[in-house]
């Protein structure tokens, strides 16, 4: 159990930015669901079973209308299609992790991907347990935040607009930490340049999937050439 507990301690430390972000966003989501007329049970169960923040916000409105299974499937697929590229880039990272891989795949959110793909495995920690604890902690933060938001929603009367900016701040902190840890900044610079280029080319509503595809293609080629050079 030594490595398991050590992995948990390290995972908790590196997931603290996610706790802050998911705490605020989860509470916001719970309050939003309350304003739509749902009890705290709905955001809590959706957080456990769906665990896709943007899709969960959308599902709140969809639950109020007529249920169209195909429409719901296509809508959520389009919103979270970027996870296809996340999964492809994590094939090597999750190789050989046995049963842990199933939960790692289920719990791969944007923020969890940012941590598990970039964070080095700490000394004395087990790789599988370290990645699993990060994934589990991140979802736990979201579930707790969503549940609390649903519970305290009826008692909040002040304006909460702009609270979702915490997500931008969280990604900025993760990017900065990753930048400081990198030996070279090729990956970060490619991400910044390609994302900006696709944003200008495709617009704010359609740039994520093209930029992820271009970044994945470029980094795959770059990785292969770097291996050959070694």
């Amino acid at each position: 159990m030594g490595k398991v507990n050590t992995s948990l301690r390290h995972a908790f430390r590196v997931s603290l930015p996610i706790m802050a972000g998911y705490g605020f966003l989860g509470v916001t989501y719970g309050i939003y669901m309350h304003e739509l007329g749902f009890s705290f049970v709905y955001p809590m169960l959706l957080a456990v079973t769906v665990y896709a923040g943007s899709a969960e916000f959308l599902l709140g409105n969809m639950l109020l209308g007529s249920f169209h299974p195909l429409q719901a499937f296509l809508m959520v697929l389009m919103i979270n299609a970027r996870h296809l590229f996340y999964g492809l880039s994590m094939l090597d990272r999750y190789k050989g992790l046995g049963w842990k891989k199933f939960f790692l795949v289920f719990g791969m959110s944007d923020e969890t991907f940012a941590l598990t793909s970039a964070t080095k495995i700490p000394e004395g920690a087990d790789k599988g347990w370290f990645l699993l604890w990060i994934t589990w902690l991140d979802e736990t933060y979201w579930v707790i935040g969503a549940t609390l938001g649903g519970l305290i929603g009826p008692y909040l009367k002040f304006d909460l607009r702009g609270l979702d900016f915490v997500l931008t701040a969280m990604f900025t902190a993760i990017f900065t930490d990753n930048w400081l840890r990198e030996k070279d900044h090729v990956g970060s610079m490619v991400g910044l340049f390609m994302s900006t280029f696709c944003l200008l080319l495709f617009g704010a509503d359609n740039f994520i999937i093209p930029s992820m595809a271009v970044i994945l293609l470029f980094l795959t080629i770059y990785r292969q050439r770097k291996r050959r050079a070694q």
Side-chain angles (χ1 to χ4, degrees):
M1 293 296 291
K3 281 195 173 184
V4 176
N5 294 330
T6 300
S7 301
L8 176 58
R9 289 196 298 270
H10 286 295
F12 177 71
R13 179 179 58 82
V14 301
S15 69
L16 286 176
I18 309 298
M19 180 176 68
Y22 273 12
F24 282 110
L25 286 175
V27 168
T28 303
Y29 170 61
I31 295 171
Y32 170 73
M33 290 293 286
H34 165 74
E35 292 179 349
L36 292 179
F38 296 100
S39 73
F40 76 93
V41 176
Y42 283 83
M44 179 180 67
L45 291 180
L46 286 174
V48 172
T49 57
V50 179
Y51 188 46
S54 53
E56 288 175 54
F57 275 94
L58 179 65
L59 286 175
N61 282 315
M62 296 182 71
L63 288 172
L64 295 176
S66 300
F67 180 56
H68 300 284
L70 181 60
Q71 179 184 355
F73 171 76
L74 293 176
M75 187 68 71
V76 175
L77 177 63
M78 287 189 293
I79 291 174
N80 292 303
R82 63 190 182 280
H83 287 212
L84 294 171
F85 302 104
Y86 294 171
L88 288 173
S89 64
M90 296 296 282
L91 290 176
D92 289 338
R93 187 75 160 172
Y94 289 169
K95 184 181 295 184
L97 296 184
W99 62 268
K100 300 181 183 69
K101 186 175 181 179
F102 294 98
F103 184 73
L104 292 171
V105 172
F106 169 78
M108 188 187 293
S109 64
D110 296 344
E111 297 77 16
T112 300
F113 170 76
L115 285 182
T116 55
S117 64
T119 305
K120 293 183 178 179
I121 308 301
E123 185 177 352
D126 176 80
K127 175 183 175 180
W129 280 108
F130 177 69
L131 297 177
L132 182 72
W133 284 130
I134 289 178
T135 306
W136 180 81
L137 285 169
D138 288 353
E139 182 173 4
T140 301
Y141 302 147
W142 178 255
V143 173
I144 292 174
T147 305
L148 286 177
L151 288 171
I152 67 177
Y155 307 102
L156 297 179
K157 307 300 180 182
F158 54 88
D159 190 359
L160 294 173
R161 286 179 297 178
L163 188 61
D164 56 349
F165 180 75
V166 69
L167 183 61
T168 303
M170 179 178 62
F171 270 116
T172 302
I174 292 174
F175 176 83
T176 303
D177 181 68
N178 187 55
W179 179 278
L180 294 174
R181 293 172 182 269
E182 291 175 336
K183 293 182 179 180
D184 62 67
H185 303 300
V186 174
S188 296
M189 293 302 296
V190 169
L192 287 174
F193 176 79
M194 294 301 180
S195 298
T196 303
F197 176 76
C198 290
L199 175 62
L200 296 175
L201 185 63
F202 298 102
D205 295 330
N206 303 303
F207 83 100
I208 294 181
I209 294 178
S211 62
M212 291 296 297
V214 174
I215 292 170
L216 179 61
L217 177 63
F218 183 92
L219 292 180
T220 300
I221 297 173
Y222 174 77
R223 183 182 180 183
Q224 290 177 348
R225 290 185 176 180
K226 190 173 182 179
R227 282 182 175 179
R228 292 172 184 173
Q230 294 175 348

